[in-house]
Amino acid sequence: MSSAAWHARITCGNEVGAGFLVSSRRVVTCAHVVRRSGTSAVTVTFPNSRGLSPLSATVAVHGGWSGGAADPGDLAVLELDRDVPLTPAEFAPPGAELGDPSPTLVAYGFPKGYDEGMLARYEAVPGALVSDEWRQLEAVTAHGQPLAAGFSGAAVTLADGRVVGMVSTVASGRDIRVGRMLPTQVIARYWPELGERVPTPDHHPDAVRRLYTLVRRAVARGLECDANRLYVDAVGPFGPPLPEGGFASLGAAAGYVQWEVPGAEALTRFTDRLRELLEAPPVRSAAAPAWSPILVEIDHSGAGPDQVTVTVSAYRDGRRRRVGSRRLPRTAVRAYVQQRIDEAFTQLAPDADELITFVLPREWLNEPVAHWECGEDDSTPLGCAYPLVVVDRSRHRSGRLRHQLAKKWQQLDARSGARLHRVECTAPERPPSLRKRLRDDHADLAGFAFPPATGRPHFEVGLTTPVPVLLWSRTGCADLGHDGPCTGSTFLDELAASVARVPPGELPRHIMELRETAAADDDPEGHWAKDVQLLWDDPRCFPESTARLHSPVA
């Protein structure tokens, strides 16, 4: 059978074009060749394999071409109505169309009057792609076959038959001998599955096959996976930034890592992380968090700077049950909270996983609530007895931020760990730069080397970006911009290692265990986690959190 048997002729309505077989059932062509596929049949024949009868086909993948001659995405992948016993096309590495001297390129098309096909010889013009989409082609001679109508969708090959691209723009005049092709890396941008078939110099073929095997498994399973976050994790903080608009699919992210990110490390990390997600045990439903919060809300009462309103509630079956609310001087808050928390436990279901949640004004976020004793007759710190977190009151009541946080947590539920985004005290970033970094990295866990009072603008960035989880030491570094290591950097080093493999939803329990470990240490005051503070904010745990409570002052 001919080695060129994979060249295809395609008809759709009055349109005639070319294509090339890339698997036993898939053919690549231009979207404009099959633009009328909604009303006209698509028929594929293989002129170099005369024993095969014409096949019907449907459009399985569309590159997004919108109809104009200069519109991007002029790509279609056709699904044949049955497998064909032909060897698919082979691909050359990206950039193989260029050289010194320039290699002769060949396209196999079907101009009018030549149903069996004609060959056209061209060279690629070196330099940048036109609009980051097309490689310009120019005829080798002034007398040969031009890229006329019927060549659209044709494979552009080297002399040995390996494919380097696809003809997308043909000459509109008899003497015009210029055209354009979509290089293979651009085709893969619109159809990431092609990446598995194209050799890339930075990656071993086995590594690429492993990656796309996992992508297919993830798609078949319906794995909930944030492709943007997976990319950011793979390339790291100094890798190429997330493309504008992000990735529409997991395959698109995998293809971008393969084609656009230098070196093999990012592809390896992307593959390993995806495998971890596929092998991770099932998580509980994103719509039903496991925690049953006991909510302690502290707010300004309006009756004076020393007066606050304290409200304690418990959640059961998704409903909030108020235990008590009172206006108090700050000195009386601790005793009232101890008493009401004890009462709140009676409102929880017998098998509930309690979560003590302090909703605090921003200036109270560093309050040592985890060190408050459980009660008058029990000196155990609350943070050692129960999972305990703090929440920023303003964020807790913002509908906009609650909506953004809920979306982030739906993605976090599928993760077996989270990367700590460090906010250092040495040469600290300007708050606008920190905001951009946290947004670009889709940060879900930020660790601060200093407490809120030392860098309030930096904490406000973390709260309003919003980052779901913030961690810091209440007694961390008190000086921004110093040189050399300090307690703050030590805290971040230890913290990063401690939380690396902890699912974000389990951090409250993990931090409780850290507090217990610190308290039991031979030198508790010297333990790095003795004053760890956890701001952990999953709005789905508090379905009625935006309801306003009337102040007793009124």
Side-chain angles (χ1 to χ4, degrees):
M1 188 172 292
S2 169
S3 61
W6 47 264
H7 289 287
R9 181 177 186 270
I10 298 166
T11 59
C12 180
N14 294 325
E15 195 80 34
V16 176
F20 49 101
L21 188 74
V22 293
S23 73
S24 62
R25 207 163 182 165
R26 290 281 176 102
V27 172
V28 173
T29 187
C30 287
H32 76 258
V33 171
V34 292
R35 73 180 84 189
R36 297 184 177 86
S37 60
T39 57
S40 300
V42 178
T43 303
V44 179
T45 56
F46 293 92
N48 291 303
S49 184
R50 297 179 182 177
L52 280 178
S53 58
L55 297 97
S56 297
T58 56
V59 177
V61 178
H62 193 281
W65 179 72
S66 54
D71 289 336
D74 190 4
L75 171 83
V77 181
L78 307 182
E79 182 89 21
L80 303 176
D81 62 3
R82 63 182 185 274
D83 291 348
V84 293
L86 303 178
T87 301
E90 292 186 16
F91 291 85
E97 71 272 15
L98 303 175
D100 187 13
S102 296
T104 297
L105 306 177
V106 180
Y108 191 140
F110 303 92
K112 186 175 181 179
Y114 294 93
D115 290 357
E116 72 283 8
M118 285 286 285
L119 299 176
R121 293 193 301 160
Y122 275 71
E123 290 180 350
V125 177
L129 297 181
V130 177
S131 294
D132 195 36
E133 182 88 0
W134 300 281
R135 174 70 67 191
Q136 185 170 317
L137 302 175
E138 295 182 352
V140 174
T141 71
H143 308 291
Q145 170 66 48
L147 292 177
F151 275 85
S152 293
V156 180
T157 71
L158 300 172
D160 61 10
R162 291 180 298 159
V163 177
V164 295
M166 177 186 73
V167 175
S168 61
T169 307
V170 298
S172 57
R174 183 166 184 169
D175 296 325
I176 298 176
R177 298 182 180 275
V178 176
R180 290 177 177 176
M181 77 171 186
L182 293 181
T184 50
Q185 65 266 33
V186 175
I187 298 175
R189 183 189 305 165
Y190 297 109
W191 187 42
E193 287 183 35
L194 185 69
E196 186 175 3
R197 299 169 170 85
V198 181
T200 42
D202 283 345
H203 308 299
H204 192 279
D206 290 343
V208 174
R209 277 192 291 271
R210 281 195 296 271
L211 170 62
Y212 285 97
T213 297
L214 293 174
V215 169
R216 285 192 293 272
R217 281 179 54 195
V219 171
R221 184 189 295 183
L223 179 71
E224 292 188 7
C225 173
D226 186 338
N228 294 330
R229 191 182 305 277
L230 201 61
Y231 171 81
V232 170
D233 286 348
V235 302
F238 303 109
L242 189 70
E244 184 177 354
F247 299 108
S249 67
L250 181 61
Y256 195 89
V257 171
Q258 176 190 0
W259 296 97
E260 306 292 345
V261 180
E265 295 81 5
L267 186 137
T268 299
R269 286 193 293 269
F270 192 100
T271 303
D272 290 345
R273 182 72 186 111
L274 183 56
R275 186 182 66 251
E276 290 172 6
L277 293 174
L278 285 164
E279 294 175 353
V283 298
R284 298 181 179 179
S285 169
W291 298 107
S292 295
I294 292 176
L295 202 66
V296 180
E297 292 183 280
I298 300 176
D299 202 352
H300 300 293
S301 71
D306 187 51
Q307 298 291 311
V308 295
T309 300
V310 182
T311 303
V312 180
S313 310
Y315 279 81
R316 181 168 180 169
D317 300 326
R319 293 187 175 274
R320 180 177 175 178
R321 304 183 180 196
R322 185 182 297 192
V323 176
S325 182
R326 184 176 298 178
R327 189 188 74 209
L328 298 163
R330 287 190 61 161
T331 55
V333 169
R334 184 181 304 192
Y336 181 78
V337 167
Q338 291 169 336
Q339 178 186 358
R340 293 305 185 189
I341 284 180
D342 196 63
E343 294 177 21
F345 273 93
T346 65
Q347 301 296 322
L348 300 182
D351 59 345
D353 288 333
E354 67 277 356
L355 176 67
I356 310 297
T357 304
F358 280 81
V359 182
L360 304 173
R362 197 156 292 179
E363 64 269 25
W364 277 47
L365 286 179
N366 209 44
E367 190 72 12
V369 291
H371 290 281
W372 290 4
E373 297 176 351
C374 287
E376 185 176 332
D377 300 321
D378 185 355
S379 62
T380 306
L382 279 171
C384 292
Y386 313 108
L388 183 150
V389 303
V390 299
V391 173
D392 176 68
R393 184 199 64 203
S394 297
R395 185 160 95 164
H396 191 66
R397 293 183 174 179
S398 168
R400 173 181 63 87
L401 296 177
R402 309 315 286 164
H403 175 72
Q404 292 175 340
L405 285 166
K407 289 198 298 184
K408 285 196 171 188
W409 275 105
Q410 288 178 356
Q411 298 163 356
L412 286 176
D413 284 333
R415 304 194 61 180
S416 60
R419 181 167 67 92
L420 182 73
H421 289 72
R422 299 170 66 110
V423 184
E424 305 278 3
C425 50
T426 55
E429 298 168 87
R430 294 173 52 248
S433 299
L434 175 61
R435 179 182 298 108
K436 185 176 188 306
R437 173 164 70 95
L438 295 178
R439 286 194 190 280
D440 289 350
D441 289 355
H442 298 270
D444 45 53
L445 175 60
F448 291 78
F450 45 88
T454 302
R456 192 169 302 280
H458 297 79
F459 271 85
E460 289 179 355
V461 166
L463 292 170
T464 58
T465 299
V467 179
V469 182
L470 307 181
L471 281 152
W472 67 93
S473 171
R474 291 182 41 261
T475 53
C477 186
D479 179 23
L480 291 185
H482 63 81
D483 296 325
C486 65
T487 57
S489 58
T490 300
F491 171 81
L492 291 182
D493 292 341
E494 297 283 357
L495 181 66
S498 177
V499 303
R501 309 301 299 171
V502 180
E506 291 298 316
L507 279 171
R509 184 173 287 110
H510 179 73
I511 297 301
M512 178 192 72
E513 294 169 355
L514 274 181
R515 290 171 178 142
E516 286 185 288
T517 300
D521 194 79
D522 291 338
D523 179 21
E525 289 302 310
H527 196 282
W528 69 271
K530 71 181 180 70
D531 289 318
V532 63
Q533 194 86 319
L534 170 63
L535 189 148
W536 184 95
D537 199 356
D538 185 348
R540 301 167 303 167
C541 290
F542 317 106
E544 299 175 80
S545 65
T546 55
R548 299 295 189 265
L549 300 177
H550 294 290
S551 169
V553 174

